[in-house]
């Protein structure tokens, strides 16, 4: 019997063949924590009485509430900075961007094991890394020992054939998949992506899709390492010499097949990510705020999609449009290519790179009874800072169009 | 280990944002943030829960973010165990790591009512509902995880053993 991508990576890492269900202890190649999770990890490492096993394998990012909105947060930032400086750990300070974007831009390589004290660590599966989110204590243990225990996951094979129709984005694809398998359909499992769609999916598309594996309960979301991955790694100046594919006779506990002809622009309606419906079902739904950004859809291609709608248009006078590039690098590219100018001219607010509104920390908290359309990955009750508000999720084009119109509307046929 | 307490019931897919909202995580003062546990879905919970009380939920309890503050506030409020049909993966690890017992007992959610008094025998894998006189059996968690729990969490476990013994 052949091996799935998850089994292949973990077998390579442990040096012996491992299969779904095996309980293993495995070495960790990269560990990441941010200002929301690092402080507890730092305390727990102290509790353990250990130093970091290897500072070069740890990355800390100040992104969740950055720059700090409050004195208590400033103190947590200070703790993290001092810990990083003392231990010679790479620190991305405020304004650098969302941890997951920084990790894929600068650090993650195929065939590695990456742990992050954040559930969306699964994003790096787009680069063929076994990457998964854990809590702060697990991360502290990994920082101290360089190892973690885990159960080799079973795999959910997701096969998608065809090409994305006009106005349909990778966000619509992953939301549709989550609708089909539900918010817990891949719990404890690795999601592995197959099919002729792969050739069409840019690396940004793959990041968006892998990012949301956790929204179906997945442990990670894995893509093969192919031409598209290698090109990306090469352009980022990283080694591009490993290809990775699942064995044709690998065992899959569950399988889903879909054809892109089934796809259309969708939204996830409040308050669950799997509450997915065609955009047209919510035609005319008024919005108070539109947020374009995050580790799901804050990349250059997302900003370009938004700019195509916003160019020459104005944000509706009853809507706030907040745009937040996922990293400083993306911000700079957006600046140099005129996107930021387009946004400002349209009347948008551009936030510094980071998480802010996505998690209700600052820079865009909703009022009672308000409705936000966001390109983020979660619409849970209170996620954006107010349990009396509602969040819809969509692709960046639908979001930008709603900002202009003042209501949710299907972009199919628009211009 | 036998736990006895009064039951609080929750539904399916209770996520970590609902357990403790992101906006409350601006400090490490867990006593303080515990006051806001479940504020969006059960606003009186934090004020009324008593040490020893037990949470019973449906499917996929603890889904969403990796925030360890979720099991931490539940433990801080004195909840002795969380029972669910099944748990989201990261929450499951986090709870075991900090020594909060979790029990996967599909069926408990259907048969136990809010306010019932139950007794949980972790070693035997039995929940006794003292209010209705019914018993529910559950699959015990792997030995390796039981050991972490009985040490009060993974930090103590590692201090004692020096490594994972899976
Ligand atoms: S952008 Fe949102 S989902 Fe992504 S890491 Fe930040 S808070 Fe989490």
């Amino acid at each position: 019997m052949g091996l799935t991508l998850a089994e292949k990576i973990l077998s390579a890492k442990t040096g012996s063949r491992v299969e779904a269900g095996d309980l293993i202890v495995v070495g960790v190649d990269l560990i990441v924590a941010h200002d929301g999770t690092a402080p507890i990890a730092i305390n727990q490492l102290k509790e353990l009485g250990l130093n970091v096993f290897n500072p070069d394998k740890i990355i800390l990012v100040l992104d969740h509430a950055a720059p700090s909105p409050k004195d208590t947060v400033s103190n947590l930032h200070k703790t993290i900075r001092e810990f990083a400086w003392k231990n010679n750990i790479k620190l991305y300070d405020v304004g650098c961007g969302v941890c997951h974007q920084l990790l894929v831009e600068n650090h993650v390589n195929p065939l590695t094991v990456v742990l992050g004290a954040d559930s969306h660590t699964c994003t790096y599966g787009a680069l063929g890394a076994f990457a998964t989110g854990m809590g702060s204590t697990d991360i502290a243990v990994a920082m101290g020992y360089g190892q973690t225990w885990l159960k080799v996951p079973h795999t959910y094979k997701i096969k998608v054939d065809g090409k994305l129709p006009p106005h349909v984005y990778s966000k619509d694809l992953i939301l549709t998949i989550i609708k089909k398998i539900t918010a817990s359909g891949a719990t404890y499992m690795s999601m592995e992506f197959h099919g002729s769609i792969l050739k069409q999916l840019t690396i940004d598309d793959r990041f968006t899709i892998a990012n949301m594996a956790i929204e179906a309960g997945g442990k990670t979301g894995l893509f093969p390492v192919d031409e598209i991955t290698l090109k990306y790694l090469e352009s980022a100046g990283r080694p591009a010499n490993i290809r990775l594919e699942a064995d044709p006779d690998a065992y899959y506990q569950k399988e889903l097949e879909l054809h892109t002809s089934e796809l259309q622009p969708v939204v996830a309606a409040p308050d669950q990510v799997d509450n997915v419906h065609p955009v047209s079902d919510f035609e005319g739904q008024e919005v108070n705020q539109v947020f374009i950004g995050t580790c799901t859809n804050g990349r250059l291609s997302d900003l370009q999609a938004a700019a195509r709608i916003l160019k020459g248009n104005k944000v509706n006078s009853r809507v706030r449009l907040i745009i937040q590039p996922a990293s400083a690098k993306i911000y700079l590219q957006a600046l140099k290519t005129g996107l930021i100018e387009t946004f400002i001219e349209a009347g948008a607010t551009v936030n510094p790179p980071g998480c802010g509104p996505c998690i209700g920390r600052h820079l865009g908290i909703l009022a009672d009874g308000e409705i936000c359309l966001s390109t983020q990955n979660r619409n849970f009750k209170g996620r954006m800072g107010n349990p009396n508000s509602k969040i819809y999720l969509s692709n960046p084009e639908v979001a930008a169009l709603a900002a202009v119109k003042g209501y949710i509307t299907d972009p199919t046929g628009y211009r | 280990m036998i736990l006895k307490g009064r039951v609080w019931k929750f539904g399916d897919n209770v996520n970590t944002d609902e357990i403790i909202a992101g906006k409350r995580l601006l400090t490490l003062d867990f006593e303080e943030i515990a006051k806001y546990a479940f504020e969006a879905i059960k606003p009186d919970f934090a004020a009324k829960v008593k040490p020893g009380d037990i949470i019973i939920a449906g499917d996929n309890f603890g889904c969403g973010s990796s925030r360890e503050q979720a099991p931490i506030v539940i433990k801080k409020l004195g909840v002795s165990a969380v029972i669910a049909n099944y748990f989201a993966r990261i929450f499951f690890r986090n709870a075991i790591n900090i020594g909060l017992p979790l029990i996967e007992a599909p069926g408990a959610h259907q048969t136990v009512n809010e306010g019932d008094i139950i007794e949980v025998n972790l070693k035997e894998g039995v929940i006794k509902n003292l209010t209705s006189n019914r018993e529910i059996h559950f699959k015990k968690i792997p030995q390796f995880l039981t050991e972490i729990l009985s040490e009060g969490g993974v930090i103590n476990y590692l201090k004692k053993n020096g490594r994972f013994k899976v």
Side-chain angles (χ1 to χ4, degrees):
Chain A
M1 184 70 80
L3 299 176
T4 64
L5 284 176
E7 289 168 333
K8 272 200 170 173
I9 299 168
L10 295 173
S11 294
K13 285 298 298 175
T14 52
S16 61
R17 183 189 164 99
V18 300
E19 290 173 14
D22 290 348
L23 213 49
I24 60 168
V25 174
V26 65
V28 178
D29 297 292
L30 208 52
I31 300 163
V32 58
H34 55 64
D35 49 339
T37 52
I40 299 179
I42 292 169
N43 284 350
Q44 293 289 61
L45 187 66
K46 218 180 277 164
E47 273 294 308
L48 268 176
L50 293 178
N51 287 322
V52 299
F53 84 108
N54 181 349
D56 296 339
K57 297 194 169 185
I58 301 171
I59 290 158
L60 297 170
V61 184
L62 306 184
D63 58 358
H64 274 55
S68 168
K70 198 169 188 288
D71 55 356
T72 53
V73 175
S74 307
N75 288 333
L76 296 176
H77 283 182
K78 187 173 169 203
T79 305
I80 297 168
R81 284 189 190 107
E82 287 174 355
F83 174 80
W85 294 337
K86 184 174 139 231
N87 291 290
N88 284 313
I89 291 169
K90 170 80 187 164
L91 171 76
Y92 288 99
D93 213 310
V94 304
C96 292
V98 181
C99 54
H100 304 309
Q101 182 55 26
L102 295 168
L103 266 280
V104 296
E105 267 176 16
N106 304 309
H107 300 282
V108 176
N109 288 311
L111 215 64
T112 57
V113 172
V114 189
L115 301 187
D118 189 279
S119 59
H120 294 104
T121 303
C122 52
T123 310
Y124 326 152
L127 296 177
F130 185 91
T132 191
M134 292 188 182
S136 299
T137 300
D138 271 322
I139 291 304
V141 168
M143 282 182 182
Y145 285 84
Q147 289 185 327
T148 193
W149 70 268
L150 47 87
K151 200 149 138 203
V152 180
H154 275 284
T155 294
Y156 208 136
K157 179 178 180 180
I158 314 272
K159 184 167 176 280
V160 185
D161 289 313
K163 285 185 180 177
L164 293 179
H167 305 287
V168 172
Y169 290 71
S170 51
K171 181 66 162 287
D172 300 299
L173 172 58
I174 186 63
L175 283 173
T176 303
I177 291 168
I178 293 168
K179 176 197 174 81
K180 282 180 185 272
I181 72 175
T182 81
S184 58
T187 299
Y188 292 94
M189 300 182 81
S190 161
M191 290 169 79
E192 194 178 286
F193 298 94
H194 290 253
S196 65
I197 187 83
L198 288 185
K199 286 198 182 66
Q200 319 290 330
L201 293 177
T202 65
I203 204 77
D204 281 7
D205 288 334
R206 297 174 184 201
F207 291 143
T208 302
I209 292 168
N211 176 269
M212 292 192 71
I214 179 71
E215 307 314 328
K219 196 168 198 163
T220 189
L222 278 163
F223 280 81
V225 178
D226 60 10
E227 276 313 314
I228 293 169
T229 337
L230 294 180
K231 240 195 213 139
Y232 176 76
L233 290 168
E234 208 175 356
S235 72
R238 301 215 288 284
N241 47 11
I242 299 174
R243 277 176 183 273
L244 187 62
E245 241 182 329
D247 291 330
D249 57 342
Y251 168 72
Y252 295 99
Q253 197 180 47
K254 290 184 183 173
E255 298 191 29
L256 173 79
E257 280 192 26
L258 73 105
H259 195 273
T260 54
S261 55
E262 297 176 45
L263 296 175
Q264 56 182 315
V266 291
V267 294
D271 299 317
Q272 297 289 342
V273 183
D274 58 3
N275 189 15
V276 174
H277 305 270
V279 171
S280 49
D281 282 11
F282 291 93
E283 186 70 39
Q285 168 66 55
E286 289 184 13
V287 297
N288 304 98
Q289 179 169 304
V290 171
F291 177 46
I292 299 174
T294 80
C295 57
T296 314
N297 281 126
R299 281 174 275 274
L300 193 67
S301 52
D302 302 311
L303 302 185
Q304 286 164 339
R308 283 196 292 273
I309 297 288
L310 293 168
K311 182 99 192 158
N313 275 319
K314 285 272 181 251
V315 173
N316 187 281
S317 61
R318 292 179 169 233
V319 177
R320 290 102 54 188
L321 171 59
I322 299 171
I323 298 180
Q324 188 161 25
S327 73
K329 186 174 169 193
I330 294 168
Y331 195 172
L332 201 57
Q333 286 168 334
L335 200 61
K336 286 183 177 161
T337 53
L339 302 180
I340 301 293
E341 202 178 320
T342 301
F343 298 153
I344 305 289
E345 277 174 359
T349 298
V350 180
N351 276 353
C355 302
C358 174
I359 193 168
R361 293 289 211 283
H362 64 158
L363 298 173
I365 292 177
L366 302 169
D368 289 343
E370 284 197 328
I371 295 197
C372 181
L373 179 60
S374 171
T375 64
Q376 67 196 67
N377 44 39
R378 287 192 177 136
N379 57 354
F380 299 156
K381 198 172 183 191
R383 171 76 180 179
M384 297 183 81
N386 186 339
N388 303 316
S389 61
K390 296 266 178 225
I391 308 163
Y392 290 79
L393 309 177
S394 77
N395 73 38
E397 182 183 340
V398 170
L401 188 57
V404 170
K405 297 285 182 186
Y407 52 83
I408 294 174
T409 184
D410 190 337
T412 314
Y414 180 77
R415 277 211 284 207
Chain B
M1 200 168 16
I2 294 183
L3 309 165
K4 185 176 157 187
R6 185 179 54 149
V7 168
W8 291 82
K9 284 193 69 183
F10 289 86
D12 293 339
N13 296 315
V14 173
N15 61 62
T16 54
D17 276 271
E18 288 170 344
I19 299 172
I20 186 73
K23 66 174 173 183
R24 302 294 179 193
L25 307 180
L26 306 178
T27 162
L28 291 187
D29 182 349
F30 301 133
E31 300 283 348
E32 172 60 25
I33 65 173
K35 292 181 196 158
Y36 303 100
F38 300 104
E39 59 180 320
I41 56 171
K42 226 184 246 283
D44 58 344
F45 179 83
K48 292 196 175 151
V49 66
K50 298 233 162 53
D53 284 0
I54 293 170
I55 287 173
I56 298 188
D59 291 346
N60 202 24
F61 187 84
C63 58
S65 87
S66 70
R67 67 189 64 161
E68 200 159 306
Q69 290 93 334
I72 289 174
V73 295
I74 292 174
K75 198 176 175 207
K76 274 278 170 222
L77 291 170
V79 170
S80 62
V82 183
I83 300 170
N85 293 349
Y86 61 92
F87 294 92
R89 194 197 119 247
I90 305 178
F91 181 87
F92 185 85
R93 288 185 75 115
N94 286 347
I96 302 287
N97 280 342
I98 63 156
L100 172 67
L102 298 186
I103 296 146
E104 291 194 336
H109 190 249
Q110 281 166 3
T111 59
V112 182
N113 294 316
E114 177 133 328
D116 285 1
I117 307 292
I118 63 170
E119 205 176 79
V120 183
N121 187 326
L122 287 173
K123 228 171 116 200
E124 306 283 323
V126 183
I127 299 168
K128 245 192 231 158
N129 187 337
L130 303 180
T131 307
S132 69
N133 271 321
R134 289 167 85 149
E135 277 194 2
I136 301 153
H137 292 260
F138 61 88
K139 213 172 119 206
K140 289 174 283 174
I141 59 174
Q143 178 62 23
F144 155 59
L145 298 181
T146 314
E147 280 170 32
I148 295 180
L149 266 183
S150 61
E151 294 299 335
V154 75
I155 300 288
N156 290 345
Y157 169 91
L158 283 170
K159 275 186 177 165
K160 186 169 158 188
N161 295 295
R163 64 188 178 92
F164 289 117
K165 298 196 290 187
V166 301

